Amino acid sequence: MIRRIYVDNYKCLVNFELKLQPLTVLVGPNGAGKTAVLEVLAALRELLRGQVRVNDRAAFPASSLTRWQNRRQQVFELEVGIQGSVLRYRLVVEHDPPERGRILEERLDTEGKPLFLFREGTVQLYRDDHTEGPGFPADWSWSDLARVPPSKDNRRLVAFQEFMRNLTISSFIPMNFRAESHREEPSLSFDGSNFASWYRHCLQEAPSRIADLQKRLAEAIPGLQAIRLEKVGAEARAFKIAFADPAGQYELCLDEISDGQRVLVALYTLLEFGDLIGSAMVLDEPDNYLALAEIQPWLMELVDRCGTVRLPLVIICSHHPEVIDYLGPDHGVYLWRDSNGPTLHRPLREAIGQTSQRWSEILARGWQET
């Protein structure tokens, strides 16, 4: 799991360091930097998938530099616990001139010893026992760590690659959910639009869990009887939900149920197939579209599962009062900015102080301490 994230000179994140728990809930006003933290994780994921250049819009373009500073370098660090080892990743990006963003340094260490080092246009590889491997000139605009092929001597590096590539980062837009799937997709998209194709993958990998998922969905969505994929073409499958009410039984496609119901289906599926979604689940306001009574049961299930093999790390950004009151005392981190300066943070418990009022009420009235 990710234990620590450090960011410098990215939007409102300046010399920003955050230590993470297995479940961390980021709260605070709009513009405080919550989404910026998620954006950094998403950009590092895309960079380490080898799908974007460092200055692409999906990574770290010059426009992401902190506007009130003149420095042209950005620094990103992650500390990740994998298979009993603590791996430390560091990336230094330079935008000088702005249109030619490049990587100055990229490195991966463990126990204070190197596994990978890119500096000044040259890659130096190291084996798992830290002995020196081959070196070669490399491209300054791509992550060269992402391009290292697996071998028997670099299993720690490969484990880090897989960890980062498998991060699930989503901010659901239920109106974008497509009912039809034309193939299995092992990763859930940022907006959840490919949910049916991702569910199709989960169904193939762990079909025995569908009964438990349907049971939980039936408790969360009145009248729901079952979910299934119906063949509608040679390769196409449609995600359908069966309902029953006093008037009879009927089926609806995924894009025919309400926005809130689509989000509930997605959220409970994420919990049930947590070990298939990858190394961590990062959700931006998953409570959007949900009624107060709908979010509480999901939060209880989340707490029970989080920190287990099935769901080792969850990061949530939220404004929802139920999320703040239920998760805030043990898992909340409050983010804020003074006079639009850099993002600051402290445990939510410290920001709230001693009180008998609901924590969400304290935040709503602006009575928290910063």
Side-chain angles (χ1 to χ4, degrees):
M1 60 167 282
I2 301 174
R3 299 184 177 186
R4 169 184 172 270
I5 179 171
Y6 174 84
V7 184
D8 186 37
N9 205 17
Y10 178 88
K11 297 186 177 181
C12 58
L13 304 180
V14 178
N15 196 27
F16 175 87
E17 182 178 38
L18 178 65
K19 295 182 179 180
L20 300 172
Q21 307 175 60
L23 174 58
T24 300
V25 181
L26 304 181
V27 303
N30 288 324
K34 303 184 300 297
T35 300
V37 175
L38 271 58
E39 288 175 351
V40 168
L41 291 173
L44 289 173
R45 180 191 64 182
E46 295 308 297
L47 196 68
L48 289 164
R49 284 178 173 178
Q51 295 181 343
V52 298
R53 294 180 182 271
V54 68
N55 61 342
D56 285 350
R57 184 176 179 181
F60 304 109
S63 59
S64 67
L65 287 164
T66 303
R67 294 301 175 89
W68 62 82
Q69 297 194 127
N70 294 321
R71 293 185 293 127
R72 311 304 297 178
Q73 290 187 10
Q74 298 174 305
V75 179
F76 307 92
E77 296 178 359
L78 292 177
E79 187 175 295
V80 181
I82 303 176
Q83 299 174 359
S85 297
V86 178
L87 305 180
R88 293 177 176 84
Y89 175 77
R90 176 179 171 88
L91 176 73
V92 181
V93 177
E94 181 182 61
H95 299 279
D96 192 16
E99 64 274 9
R100 291 180 57 191
R102 62 177 187 166
I103 296 175
L104 288 186
E105 179 184 355
E106 184 179 28
R107 65 184 301 146
L108 183 68
D109 299 338
T110 183
E111 301 169 356
K113 299 176 182 178
L115 294 172
F116 172 94
L117 176 62
F118 170 85
R119 184 180 289 162
E120 297 181 354
T122 300
V123 166
Q124 178 62 56
L125 298 178
Y126 297 85
R127 301 178 182 88
D128 283 333
D129 62 3
H130 307 293
T131 58
E132 201 170 278
F136 50 88
D139 192 328
W140 298 60
S141 61
W142 297 88
S143 166
D144 287 291
L145 191 152
R147 299 174 175 223
V148 177
S151 75
K152 64 180 182 179
D153 295 323
N154 67 353
R155 292 174 181 170
R156 289 178 172 179
L157 183 149
V158 171
F160 178 76
Q161 286 177 335
E162 293 177 350
F163 178 93
M164 292 303 299
R165 291 169 180 172
N166 291 330
L167 286 175
T168 294
I169 304 174
S170 293
S171 179
F172 294 134
I173 304 177
M175 63 192 72
N176 290 352
F177 283 26
R178 298 186 297 269
E180 285 195 12
S181 162
H182 294 273
R183 63 183 182 278
E184 294 180 33
E185 296 186 24
S187 298
L188 184 62
S189 62
F190 182 75
D191 64 353
S193 57
N194 73 335
F195 173 79
S197 294
W198 174 71
Y199 172 82
R200 186 172 175 178
H201 168 76
C202 294
L203 179 61
Q204 293 298 317
E205 293 294 317
S208 61
R209 300 183 193 174
I210 300 302
D212 285 342
L213 174 60
Q214 291 186 149
K215 178 182 177 181
R216 287 176 170 79
L217 287 176
E219 294 170 349
I221 301 176
L224 187 146
Q225 299 292 301
I227 56 176
R228 69 186 183 94
L229 289 176
E230 179 180 285
K231 186 174 182 179
V232 292
E235 299 294 335
R237 303 290 185 273
F239 189 100
K240 292 197 171 184
I241 305 100
F243 288 90
D245 61 24
Q249 297 184 344
Y250 58 94
E251 277 192 330
L252 296 174
C253 288
L254 181 64
D255 56 3
E256 293 177 319
I257 61 177
S258 73
D259 287 349
Q261 289 173 328
R262 290 177 222 177
V263 171
L264 280 172
V265 170
L267 288 177
Y268 278 98
T269 305
L270 280 169
L271 290 185
E272 190 61 41
F273 294 98
D275 54 331
L276 301 182
I277 66 173
S279 52
M281 185 168 76
V282 184
L283 300 176
D284 191 7
E285 301 191 43
D287 39 67
N288 280 346
Y289 306 95
L290 300 186
L292 291 175
E294 293 174 328
I295 191 63
Q296 185 73 18
W298 183 80
L299 292 175
M300 295 173 66
E301 187 80 14
L302 173 68
V303 170
D304 287 343
R305 293 177 181 250
C306 196
T308 65
V309 173
R310 185 168 291 192
L311 204 59
L313 175 68
V314 177
I315 304 171
I316 294 176
C317 290
S318 181
H319 296 282
H320 200 288
E322 290 298 318
V323 175
I324 293 169
D325 291 331
Y326 189 72
L327 300 182
D330 296 321
H331 310 285
V333 177
Y334 183 72
L335 277 64
W336 80 96
R337 297 169 65 191
D338 288 334
S339 302
N340 288 323
T343 295
L344 305 171
H345 71 85
R346 66 190 306 186
L348 183 58
R349 181 180 294 277
E350 294 181 9
I352 296 297
Q354 295 293 329
T355 180
S356 59
Q357 292 182 282
R358 288 169 58 95
W359 286 24
S360 57
E361 182 71 12
I362 297 293
L363 293 179
R365 296 180 179 274
W367 292 345
Q368 71 280 356
E369 300 176 11
T370 58

